[in-house]
Amino acid sequence: MTSIRTSGPGLLDDRPARSHASLLYRLAVSCLVPFVRWWGRLEVTGAGLLPRSGSVLLVANHDSAWDPLIIGVASVRRRQVHALARSSLWRWRPLGWLMDRLGAIPVDRGTGSDRAIDSAVAHLQAGDCVGLFPEGT
């Protein structure tokens, strides 16, 4: 199993890329599936196009704060999505802890955020699925 080496708050450490968040990610997203499908009347089509393994850059529109959750729910049976998220979400420690465990990648808005790019590339090199929302601020 491949390990990712990065440093800094909210970034992954030496834990294996696929095992540290997968169980919690699947549990959290699976528990939310009925709610999101009912509340958002979510209908997933084309999920079979998402490969079950290998590097994937999943690019989606970003209309609301719910978008990463919806992408996670839509792909829960296929892949864990390591979504890029604004680093200010890590300021509240419990949320930062959860974001780390769910495999999110912090982005420093307004800067080049080399750490986020390096982390996303490391995930892709490890064969993971990285979620990117170009419309995010």
Side-chain angles (χ1 to χ4, degrees), residues 2-24:
T2 305
S3 293
I4 297 174
R5 297 187 61 86
T6 59
S7 62
L11 294 179
L12 298 174
D13 54 22
D14 292 336
R15 294 172 289 188
R18 289 179 191 82
S19 64
H20 78 280
S22 294
L23 180 60
L24 180 60

Side-chain angles (χ1 to χ4, degrees), residues 13-14 17 37 41 48 52 67 98 112 123:
D13 54 22
D14 292 336
R37 289 190 182 206
R41 294 184 239 33
R52 290 189 185 271
D67 294 336
L98 182 62
H123 274 287

Side-chain angles (χ1 to χ4, degrees), residues 4 6 11 57 84-85 105-108 111-125 130 132:
I4 297 174
T6 59
L11 294 179
L57 183 60
L84 278 80
I105 301 169
V107 176
D108 296 322
T111 68
S113 202
D114 292 340
R115 293 185 320 173
I117 293 169
D118 292 344
S119 185
V121 168
H123 274 287
L124 291 170
Q125 288 174 338
V130 173
L132 175 67

Side-chain angles (χ1 to χ4, degrees), residues 21-101:
S22 294
L23 180 60
L24 180 60
Y25 181 88
R26 287 183 184 148
L27 179 63
V29 175
S30 293
C31 289
L32 293 170
V33 166
F35 172 74
V36 171
R37 289 190 182 206
W38 169 78
W39 175 72
R41 294 184 239 33
L42 178 66
E43 181 180 335
V44 178
T45 58
L49 299 173
L50 182 64
R52 290 189 185 271
S53 63
S55 302
V56 174
L57 183 60
L58 184 61
V59 181
N61 292 337
H62 196 17
D63 294 325
S64 77
W66 293 98
D67 294 336
L69 173 66
I70 292 168
I71 294 296
V73 167
S75 64
V76 70
R77 288 179 176 79
R78 304 217 37 107
R79 302 292 296 269
Q80 177 176 352
V81 179
H82 298 274
L84 278 80
R86 61 187 164 117
S87 59
S88 62
L89 295 172
W90 275 260
R91 288 185 190 148
W92 187 51
R93 288 192 124 163
L95 182 57
W97 178 89
L98 182 62
M99 298 287 284
D100 282 343
R101 298 315 175 277

